[in-house]
Amino acid sequence: MAEEKNNLVKTFWQFIKFGMVGASNTVISLVIYYIGLYLNLHYVLSNVLGFIAGTLNAYYWNNKYVFKKEEGEERSTAKSVTKVFISYGISLGLSTVLLVLWVDVLHISERIAPLLNLCVTIPLNFVMNKFWAFRAEGKKG
């Protein structure tokens, strides 16, 4: 019971840290997105460029700060990077579909639409990163 409570507390704090990293990802992604719009790039292309920059930021900080390796834990950097890009790629696909839905179907501003996507993509990314991308492969020894 105590171990279960400790795991729940640990997961809660990971989610808080993930949110902090996510805030920086969001700022980076949105800055790139809005710069793209300013440069008259299509909003989907701007979204993809923002995705790439945000995902690189996400991998670095999630690996170093949120889901850091515990003592004796083995984790392949190449696999983690690949899984992070796949996880965020799934979110990009979903985000892009939602973006088109918000902008082209529901006529929501292209400046507001990405913010709506965050309500879906943040929890989805946390679950994929915690339980898949940064999951330990095994313990040494």
Side-chain angles (χ1 to χ4, degrees):
M1 179 103 149
E3 186 176 329
E4 197 173 292
K5 184 178 178 184
N6 287 340
N7 286 338
L8 187 60
V9 169
K10 180 181 176 183
T11 298
F12 172 78
W13 284 111
Q14 280 181 323
F15 186 75
I16 297 299
K17 290 178 188 178
F18 186 82
M20 292 166 57
V21 170
S24 70
N25 300 342
T26 300
V27 169
I28 290 167
S29 295
L30 288 175
V31 165
I32 299 296
Y33 176 80
Y34 291 128
I35 288 171
L37 292 181
Y38 178 79
L39 296 174
N40 294 317
L41 296 178
H42 191 274
Y43 68 87
V44 173
L45 177 57
S46 297
N47 194 49
V48 170
L49 294 174
F51 160 79
I52 292 169
T55 302
L56 289 171
N57 182 70
Y59 172 77
Y60 179 81
W61 289 109
N62 282 327
N63 187 55
K64 292 285 186 192
Y65 180 61
V66 180
F67 304 112
K68 56 188 169 190
K69 287 193 278 187
E70 295 183 17
E71 189 175 324
E73 179 182 320
E74 292 183 26
R75 184 189 305 158
S76 165
T77 300
K79 284 183 183 179
S80 291
V81 169
T82 301
K83 288 177 178 181
V84 166
F85 267 90
I86 290 169
S87 296
Y88 280 84
I90 290 168
S91 289
L92 173 66
L94 177 60
S95 177
T96 302
V97 168
L98 290 173
L99 195 60
V100 170
L101 173 70
W102 304 141
V103 174
D104 292 340
V105 177
L106 299 176
H107 307 291
I108 294 172
S109 167
E110 64 188 20
R111 287 171 172 66
I112 301 298
L115 302 175
L116 297 175
N117 287 346
L118 298 176
C119 297
V120 175
T121 58
I122 290 171
L124 177 64
N125 279 327
F126 177 76
V127 168
M128 287 191 294
N129 277 273
K130 177 170 178 58
F131 296 109
W132 185 57
F134 290 102
R135 186 180 73 205
E137 294 175 359
K139 295 274 187 179
K140 292 180 185 173

